[in-house]
Amino acid sequence: MPSLDLTPLASLRLSTHLITSHSNIPNTAPHSHPLFIYHSVYPPSTSASTLESHLPSNGLIPQWRYTMYSTTHYHSTTHEVLCVYQGRAKLLFGGEQNPGKVEAEVKAGDAVVVPAGMGHRLLEDYGDGGGFMMVGSYPEGCNWDMCYGKAGEEENVKAVRKVPWLKKDPLYGDNGPVLWSKEKLEENRGKSEL
């Protein structure tokens, strides 16, 4: 299996977003871990199997290959790492009615770290290259659930705060953006979008 060819950290274009709670969707408010979007972090021709071989070295278990659901949902039990290996799409984070929502276009070669509680959904699959597809991965020992910001999910909202943060960066391991302090993320603002 070929090894994953990562963009050097010094050249990585990174977007991070803190999104406030809205309508029973906790987003980043309970834990202050931002949404991370790694732009062109690996070549767009990288195969799903190459990604699936790399992620376990950083404590993640790949669990599926699929697109993203078109209904806003969040996970109260785990963070989620999405590695795009095919196509291009517009995604929405934070909830449709949230004034602080983020719409982002992602494509093959991008990766997204969705913290527990972050509402997310597919807005549009542009149909490039056979359709939008990702490898979905979760930290070892975590099982994902599906929450929709509906009445009766109050305990799920509380549970988000208790989800431990990632021990390693999903792509770079011991020295990657998810492990950086807020100050270091700010230092990289020239090539990042905070």
Side-chain angles (χ1 to χ4, degrees):
M1 182 63 51
S3 63
L4 186 59
D5 182 20
L6 292 172
T7 298
L9 272 173
S11 304
L12 178 65
R13 195 166 71 85
L14 178 72
S15 301
T16 59
H17 305 275
L18 289 168
I19 302 174
T20 59
S21 297
H22 189 267
S23 296
N24 294 324
I25 299 174
N27 293 317
T28 60
H31 47 64
S32 298
H33 294 296
L35 166 72
F36 289 83
I37 303 174
Y38 298 64
H39 303 277
S40 301
V41 66
Y42 45 82
S45 60
T46 301
S47 70
S49 54
T50 297
L51 293 164
E52 291 164 344
S53 294
H54 178 78
L55 293 163
S57 66
N58 294 320
L60 294 165
I61 306 301
Q63 293 190 12
W64 51 263
R65 295 180 187 181
Y66 194 63
T67 186
M68 184 181 281
Y69 293 122
S70 58
T71 300
T72 292
H73 63 285
Y74 71 90
H75 310 294
S76 70
T77 56
T78 186
H79 309 295
E80 183 174 44
V81 176
L82 306 171
C83 295
V84 184
Y85 67 89
Q86 179 179 291
R88 185 173 60 100
K90 184 185 286 186
L91 307 179
L92 180 130
F93 299 96
E96 290 86 347
Q97 305 305 316
N98 188 342
K101 68 186 174 198
V102 171
E103 292 183 10
E105 184 176 303
V106 296
K107 63 186 182 337
D110 294 346
V112 183
V113 178
V114 182
M118 173 64 68
H120 53 289
R121 69 167 283 213
L122 174 72
L123 279 180
E124 184 174 0
D125 180 339
Y126 296 117
D128 300 355
F132 180 67
M133 296 292 287
M134 307 175 293
V135 170
S137 300
Y138 305 88
E140 292 174 350
C142 291
N143 296 307
W144 52 275
D145 61 353
M146 294 291 285
C147 304
Y148 301 96
K150 304 217 181 277
E153 293 181 354
E154 293 77 16
E155 291 304 311
N156 299 87
V157 171
K158 289 179 189 172
V160 168
R161 178 176 281 116
K162 298 175 186 164
V163 177
W165 190 233
L166 301 170
K167 293 182 172 107
K168 289 186 170 190
D169 186 89
L171 296 166
Y172 292 95
D174 292 328
N175 179 27
V178 302
L179 303 175
W180 293 350
S181 65
K182 185 177 180 182
E183 293 75 27
K184 183 156 182 169
L185 287 169
E186 290 280 344
E187 286 172 24
N188 285 280
R189 207 170 203 179
K191 57 184 172 289
S192 301
E193 302 162 21
L194 265 173

